[in-house]
Amino acid sequence: MIEDKPTRTELSELGEFGLINHLASFARSENSSTLKGIGDDAAVIDCGDKAMVITTDLLVEGVHFDLSYMPFKHLGYKAVVVNLSDVYAMNAIPTQITVSLAMSNRFPLETMEELYQGIRMACDMYGVDLIGGDTSSSKHGLMISVTAVGFAPKEDIVYRSGAKENDLICVTGDLGAAYMGLQLLEREKQIFLENPEIQPDLEGNDYILERQLKPEAGKATILKLKELGIKPTAMIDVSDGLSSDLLHICDKSKVGCAIYSEKIPVDHLTYTVAESFNLDPTTCALNGGEDYELLFTISQADFEKIKDFKGISVIGHITNAESGKMFITNSNQAIELTAQGWNAMN
């Protein structure tokens, strides 16, 4: 009798989001204090009058960062900020982090000190406490896992699922800069590998390099929205790319959307560098990822409050689900919005 071979499904067939959705089917919430589990920027725990939000990210050498051009101090800073960004995306304020490391013996103590200097800088910048973590050896490279905790009144928490038809779609800052910073670093790395005598040509590109190597989280925006009395109806941080993250909001809220090419904010340097790479700047803004800007929806009634707030762009509006998720070009052509952003399983 010939036994059937066990089924083998390659993870690449699912992709990162497909894998997350698949594994989420194993999660069960048995405790009434769990207000939100998997499926948002952070989990939400009932703490009486307040809610606690918890999020964690794992950064792996060779997948999420390249030490040939990522300074250890910047890496420590970025590892913290990408987690704090998730807390702000829940409309909460981060208060504590833990940091866990797995490292090979190729790293001396001095490099770990540089890493923690960056972690300390981020803690000081955003007013959070480093309260613990874990360390382990690794046979291959460096892995960093940061868990961030934050709090907000329960009624202030914003989920991805609250967007409603006719809400305005807003985004902070500008998009695509981090992606172009990465392209520039990768190009100069390849040139150096082919000819170590040639020094990297990075002059004049500080803005996009900083957006890739040392991003910032949306603390100022959250505080300003609270000051203006605006509670977004839905929110997410732009980590995987505008298109992917807006689709997360639409899927969770069971709505459609329309965003306009001419409204998407792209910095002049990002635009120029993208064209030098023969890339479309708007496509980079849609799909680049790692911007860590805040993407959120608000009621039209709040437009008057927000219209003069520099640093926030209204890029479209929420529609009904039947209208689809559409990207409107400069020539007024409607194209279906697709998720083409960062996917760690590729």
Side-chain angles (χ1 to χ4, degrees), residues 172-183:
T172 62
D174 56 80
L175 303 174
Y179 178 71
M180 290 319 306
L182 178 62
Q183 298 310 301

Side-chain angles (χ1 to χ4, degrees), residues 225-240:
L225 290 175
K226 291 181 185 297
E227 180 186 320
L228 294 173
I230 298 172
K231 179 185 175 182
T233 53
M235 187 153 52
I236 190 172
D237 76 330
V238 183
S239 55
D240 298 310

Side-chain angles (χ1 to χ4, degrees), residues 160 163 168-170 236-238 240-253 255-260 264 286 295-297 315-318 325-327 337 339:
R160 298 175 182 179
L168 301 177
I169 302 170
C170 306
I236 190 172
D237 76 330
V238 183
D240 298 310
L242 174 62
S243 57
S244 294
D245 292 317
L246 180 54
L247 289 176
H248 286 321
I249 286 180
C250 290
D251 291 343
K252 292 295 182 180
S253 299
V255 294
C257 67
I259 59 172
Y260 297 83
I264 295 174
L286 283 172
L295 173 66
F296 58 95
T297 56
I315 62 172
H317 61 277
I318 296 296
K325 296 104 172 174
M326 310 307 294
F327 172 73
L337 196 63

